[in-house]
Amino acid sequence: MNKQSTITASPLHVSTPHDSAIKQVAGRAEYVDDLPEPEGLLHAYLGLSARAHAEIVSMDLDAVKVAPGVVGVLVGADIPAENDVSSAHKHDEPVLAEKRVSYFGHPMFCVVGTDREAARRAAHLARITYRDLDHVTDIDASLAAGGTLVTEPLTLERGDVAAGLAGAEHRIQGKVRIGGQEHFYLESQIAMAIPGEGEEITIQTSSQHPTEIQVMVAQVLGIPHAAVTVNMRRMGGGFGGKETQGNLFAAIAAVAARKFNRAVKIRPDRDDDFQITGKRHDFLVDYDVGFNSDGKIQGVAASFAARSGYSADLSGPVTDRALFHADNAYWYPAVKVSSLPLFTNTCSNTAFRGFGGPQGLIACERWIEHIAYTLGKDPLEIRKANFYGTDTDNVTPYHQTVEDNIMREIVAELEESSDYQARREKVLAFNRTSKVLKKGIALSPVKFGISFTATWHNQAGALVHVYRDGSIHLSHGGTEMGQGLHIKVAQVVADAFGVPVERVQITASNTGKVPNTSATAASSGTDLNGAAALDAARQIKERMSAHAAIMYEVTPEEVQWEFGGIRCGAQFVPFDELATSCWMNRVQLSASGFYKTPKIHWDRATGTGRPFYYYAYGAAAAEVTIDTLTGEYHVDRADVLEDVGRSLNPAIDIGQVEGGFIQGMGWLTTEELWWDQKGQLRTHAPSTYKIPVAADVPPVFNVKLADWSINKEPAIGRSKAVGEPPLCLAYCVVEALSMAVASVADYKVPPHLDMPVTPERVLMGVERMRRETAA
Ligand code: MTE
Ligand code: HPA
Ligand code: MOS
């Protein structure tokens, strides 16, 4: 604790390095595959379907069973209790498909061997006879086949939309296609199951949701939750892809571990992970919008069809969230939006940073763009004409009043700091003379609702121990996936006790220490777990204060917490001395904390409530150059301003904003998922699926936090969530590309580029512009 003497102030609201940063660059941060392997560890590998939809007529596994190194093969019938890991509890996600496969890549059997390579090779020796059934792999095919849904759709409605549309001076209709996205976490899915005494089993996993891993393992084994302990130190990225998609791997490892009574590890190859696990939902949005000549929207009707895959998974809440963001930052006098979570014979699409929100608000930005091109104005003008008001015109399609609106301030600051207006003039001038190269610029806003929309998920627990040397052990229900949750919660605890953050020992997430946790998701990890940890710290501090008052013979009011210790009248007692004294006097120095988000409620049946505790705001501007002969382009500059309230850790928050923006840019520009006619995903490796790399970061990339913003709600330290909202900011890149394309037809034709806006789509857009102006 020598460091304590040099640090004299609270670490809260201070840029503090990520606790794993040095370990990660030094290769010392441990992931599941780095853990020491238990004696006799077996390795599992999955056998996958080679059909998108078929009956399994027969599975001949004889060659698999006798292959070298193989210990056994599991099929659906080997699952002791329920052959299901559906997070939606719809019983539509078998661990191993039994009679029928529903997508190309559907796991059907599991080979268990003495080494991973043996199991992996043997998995290819199975002889499967299928009877093919019709399959639908995309939104259009699913709609054409009748539009089967995987879960109940939602409609949000306010005002008289028919009258709003009919009474408007202008009316536009259109479709926007928004692509899916592979999570591409650096660490693939993985699990290791270690059988214990009796029914006990321990799971080492890479999951955003250890409790759900626990519940699913208990469900497949038919044992109580209490018999399962899940340990989760850190993920090599999750991005939503490890909210539910780890269930299958943990379940199969647990079943194999139980069957062979040995530890079992499973880690799919990248290609298999790509094929098996769900992705961001792609959407087809159909819209009908009425507006007046001043650009003011009068009515919006839209349907949001999403490729959900073969099972419900999180498609219900994801498509709900798309609707919750179909207003982005704008007031609609009348609105009706509905969701279509469509069944398809593809992997089961799932959570991905933004959770449907980005797709909802991008559709909205698309009709803003359409209005602008119709009226011959800058889309930014249309945006400003429609922003939510602060006292009026501030009710959302789900009947929540926007109480914390700072959209105008954010946009005004960014417009100024990015020199948007002058640069737009320059872009227009450039396009007038440049023949081959064309430029575009756009500034787009984001308003993002913070809280899980399913109210009961908005709870968290923590366990804090103070040891008698004054060091602190911290566990909470959240998980670390690189986002910096652990360091932020440690800062909160260090601030509460008035000690340097180094005194707080960060530990793995463990279901035995903090039970019944929610997924670390919806960007609410710090809000929820930070507050739970603070609650635990408060309880311990109360006991320490009461003890100090007696010990140092002062009144309770005279006990003051300061950085480094407590002041009792004239006397200052360092924190570690106080901890020792508490222990000597039998004062309990451990507490579990709890938090539930106040104010929120949501009635899905009526589509009304206050699903969000508060909103996070942001805006971004991008400038691009396209080559009209090849479709190639560059993002020349991006400026970002994000509202994180009073930042708990500006360095971490900036990292989240930068990463979110670039990940969003990759999604909207280069990352394209492509299934062939057989329903096989053919873009299943970095060779065919292009994620952004360091060289794709714009050469000018100005990222700022709105340092004047304070959360109106008393969220932890008056901060705001940061994990997901910045991903949506990347939309400005699409709109800038659209402007460059539209310049070819003198901005008279709405560009309507589908996403991802790959160079091919830019080129096709340019050619469409040429055709339409020639006609
Ligand atoms: N940042 C990193 N480095 N890695 C991740 O996997 N996931 C994102 C975001 N930022 C992610 C990330 C997603 S999808 C969410 S919901 C939040 O982090 C979750 O963490 P938080 O609630 O602590 O912000
Ligand atoms: N966001 C993210 N993950 C979730 C949500 C949500 O609203 N609901 C359930 N899982
Ligand atoms: Mo994030 S998509 O809510 O895991």
Side-chain angles (χ1 to χ4, degrees):
M1 292 309 133
N2 299 334
K3 283 180 187 161
Q4 196 187 0
S5 53
T6 58
I7 302 164
T8 54
S10 162
L12 206 63
H13 307 296
V14 175
S15 286
T16 307
H18 193 294
D19 47 289
S20 299
I22 289 172
K23 292 181 208 160
Q24 273 162 333
V25 292
R28 306 299 304 193
E30 284 191 345
Y31 297 88
V32 176
D33 220 17
D34 299 320
L35 296 174
E37 297 191 337
E39 183 69 29
L41 177 75
L42 299 175
H43 297 262
Y45 212 89
L46 292 167
L48 308 181
S49 153
R51 295 291 189 282
H53 192 200
E55 277 171 32
I56 304 171
V57 178
S58 67
M59 266 204 269
D60 174 356
L61 300 169
D62 291 350
V64 183
K65 287 177 187 156
V66 300
V70 170
V71 175
V73 184
L74 303 175
V75 293
D78 294 309
I79 309 242
E82 279 181 64
N83 182 11
D84 183 66
V85 285
S86 159
S87 61
H89 306 291
K90 292 201 184 264
H91 221 91
D92 58 358
E93 256 181 71
V95 181
L96 296 171
E98 286 189 86
K99 296 195 173 69
R100 153 199 298 235
V101 290
S102 304
Y103 72 103
F104 207 112
H106 207 160
M108 298 183 294
F109 63 91
C110 178
V111 190
V112 182
T114 49
D115 69 278
R116 185 171 173 274
E117 196 47 30
R120 193 175 77 96
R121 281 177 197 281
H124 294 286
L125 303 175
R127 294 210 183 124
I128 314 290
T129 315
Y130 303 93
R131 184 175 300 121
D132 284 322
L133 301 168
D134 290 343
H135 64 266
V136 290
T137 46
D138 60 23
I139 292 174
D140 298 273
S142 178
L143 286 172
T148 307
L149 303 179
V150 290
T151 187
E152 301 74 25
L154 175 68
T155 296
L156 300 180
E157 197 168 5
R158 217 200 66 249
D160 183 345
V161 73
L165 291 172
E169 291 166 27
H170 303 269
R171 191 156 169 184
I172 50 172
Q173 276 123 14
K175 284 184 198 295
V176 47
R177 283 181 197 274
I178 305 164
Q181 187 177 24
E182 157 64 27
H183 301 85
F184 225 113
Y185 25 63
L186 283 183
E187 180 204 29
S188 71
Q189 302 283 350
I190 188 164
M192 181 161 70
I194 304 151
E197 291 179 13
E199 291 184 325
E200 285 170 11
I201 189 161
T202 301
I203 312 288
Q204 300 283 355
T205 181
S206 175
S207 167
Q208 291 171 242
H209 201 345
T211 287
E212 183 152 280
I213 297 284
Q214 176 192 26
V215 169
M216 292 299 162
V217 166
Q219 178 169 303
V220 295
L221 294 181
I223 59 176
H225 295 178
V228 184
T229 304
V230 176
N231 196 62
M232 201 328 279
R233 176 58 185 92
R234 62 168 68 75
M235 281 161 272
F239 306 112
K242 293 176 182 168
E243 187 170 336
T244 61
Q245 302 286 302
N247 293 351
L248 169 80
F249 302 94
I252 201 77
V255 170
R258 174 62 67 237
K259 175 157 175 151
F260 299 106
N261 202 25
R262 283 161 78 172
V264 175
K265 182 154 78 175
I266 183 166
R267 172 172 64 82
D269 277 0
R270 175 66 58 175
D271 299 71
D272 287 343
D273 188 311
F274 239 108
Q275 299 263 3
I276 299 167
T277 63
K279 323 208 171 304
R280 183 189 290 287
H281 294 67
D282 50 321
F283 274 70
L284 171 61
V285 185
D286 253 286
Y287 60 86
D288 188 350
V289 175
F291 57 97
N292 288 346
S293 298
D294 57 3
K296 281 202 167 205
I297 295 172
Q298 303 302 307
V300 170
S303 81
F304 287 74
R307 167 159 35 192
S308 301
Y310 80 98
S311 74
D313 184 73
L314 294 166
S315 295
V318 165
T319 49
D320 286 3
R321 191 173 273 271
L323 301 189
F324 286 121
H325 289 79
D327 58 342
N328 192 10
Y330 312 112
W331 184 64
Y332 299 152
V335 52
K336 182 174 181 178
V337 286
S338 36
S339 65
L340 284 171
L342 293 169
F343 174 92
T344 48
N345 293 106
T346 49
C347 55
S348 188
N349 284 340
T350 193
F352 195 138
R353 204 168 191 172
F355 205 76
Q359 294 95 317
L361 71 84
I362 281 171
C364 163
E365 291 304 334
R366 176 50 59 83
W367 54 73
I368 293 283
E369 181 194 84
H370 197 167
I371 295 170
Y373 279 88
T374 308
L375 296 175
K377 294 188 174 174
D378 177 357
L380 184 56
E381 269 186 62
I382 311 300
R383 297 192 163 110
K384 289 179 180 170
N386 288 287
F387 281 145
Y388 277 114
T390 34
D391 301 315
T392 56
D393 301 348
N394 56 1
V395 181
T396 62
Y398 42 95
H399 301 254
Q400 170 164 353
T401 301
V402 182
E403 296 172 352
D404 57 7
N405 190 2
I406 52 167
M407 197 73 258
R408 283 177 198 279
E409 290 86 333
I410 293 279
V411 165
E413 181 173 330
L414 185 75
E415 196 178 341
E416 177 79 30
S417 67
S418 68
D419 198 17
Y420 174 80
Q421 295 299 348
R423 284 168 58 216
R424 184 173 149 90
E425 286 312 315
K426 278 193 202 154
V427 164
L428 291 167
F430 176 90
N431 289 347
R432 278 193 285 273
T433 54
S434 176
K435 286 259 174 306
V436 173
L437 300 182
K438 298 285 184 186
K439 282 181 176 283
I441 186 168
L443 190 160
S444 62
V446 171
K447 164 179 140 288
F448 199 90
I450 302 300
S451 293
F452 287 91
T453 54
T455 304
W456 69 89
H457 289 314
N458 297 284
Q459 58 171 309
L463 180 64
V464 174
H465 310 314
V466 174
Y467 292 98
R468 64 195 218 218
D469 68 348
S471 63
I472 298 164
H473 174 108
L474 167 65
S475 351
H476 57 78
T479 59
E480 179 65 43
M481 58 195 98
Q483 84 279 38
L485 171 63
H486 282 347
I487 189 67
K488 285 186 176 180
V489 178
Q491 287 172 269
V492 167
V493 170
D495 175 70
F497 287 113
V499 299
V501 75
E502 291 76 14
R503 277 228 178 169
V504 180
Q505 188 71 39
I506 289 166
T507 66
S509 314
N510 189 297
T511 55
K513 284 200 209 160
V514 181
N516 306 316
T517 57
S518 294
T520 304
S523 304
S524 57
T526 306
D527 285 6
L528 297 175
N529 296 288
L534 187 59
D535 179 48
R538 180 192 51 76
Q539 296 171 46
I540 299 171
K541 279 173 69 183
E542 271 172 22
R543 291 185 216 126
M544 292 178 102
S545 297
H547 164 70
I550 296 163
M551 188 75 192
Y552 302 102
E553 296 177 330
V554 291
T555 62
E557 297 73 42
E558 285 174 296
V559 177
Q560 298 291 329
W561 284 80
E562 289 181 6
F563 192 80
I566 57 168
R567 188 163 298 284
C568 300
Q571 202 171 352
F572 181 78
V573 187
F575 182 75
D576 45 5
E577 263 177 48
L578 178 63
T580 308
S581 171
C582 285
W583 172 68
M584 285 295 294
N585 290 282
R586 301 184 295 173
V587 174
Q588 189 192 359
L589 288 175
S590 172
S592 67
F594 184 77
Y595 176 76
K596 55 182 180 185
T597 311
K599 287 191 174 179
I600 50 174
H601 54 95
W602 167 242
D603 180 359
R604 197 174 184 274
T606 59
T608 59
R610 178 192 174 131
F612 302 122
Y613 187 35
Y614 62 87
Y615 296 96
Y617 298 85
E623 183 176 331
V624 302
T625 308
I626 67 166
D627 181 329
T628 54
L629 297 180
T630 62
E632 281 175 288
Y633 54 77
H634 286 287
V635 180
D636 303 318
R637 173 170 169 180
D639 293 73
V640 176
L641 180 63
E642 182 67 20
D643 154 37
V644 298
R646 200 164 163 227
S647 176
L648 296 180
N649 186 330
I652 294 282
D653 287 351
I654 293 264
Q656 284 291 293
V657 178
E658 290 176 346
F661 184 90
I662 299 298
Q663 190 171 44
M665 194 180 86
W667 167 43
L668 294 170
T669 58
T670 62
E671 297 180 36
E672 188 162 31
L673 293 163
W674 193 79
W675 282 264
D676 68 14
Q677 289 198 325
K678 288 184 176 162
Q680 184 179 11
L681 178 67
R682 302 311 287 264
T683 47
H684 52 73
S687 51
T688 44
Y689 186 81
K690 172 75 180 79
I691 60 169
V693 296
D696 294 309
V697 174
V700 182
F701 191 29
N702 301 317
V703 176
K704 246 194 100 203
L705 304 176
D707 52 16
W708 43 267
S709 173
I710 290 179
N711 195 334
K712 279 200 175 170
E713 299 296 342
I716 192 85
R718 297 273 172 181
S719 67
K720 288 189 182 185
V722 67
E724 297 167 288
L727 180 129
C728 316
L729 294 170
Y731 180 72
C732 61
V733 174
V734 171
E735 201 179 271
L737 289 167
S738 300
M739 178 185 175
V741 166
S743 72
V744 173
D746 200 24
Y747 316 101
K748 299 246 159 50
V749 183
H752 292 326
L753 300 180
D754 288 342
M755 286 151 267
V757 187
T758 54
E760 290 89 330
R761 289 221 170 85
V762 167
L763 190 60
M764 290 187 297
V766 166
E767 283 171 1
R768 187 170 70 83
M769 292 294 140
R770 296 219 160 104
R771 276 198 310 277
E772 300 210 6
T773 39

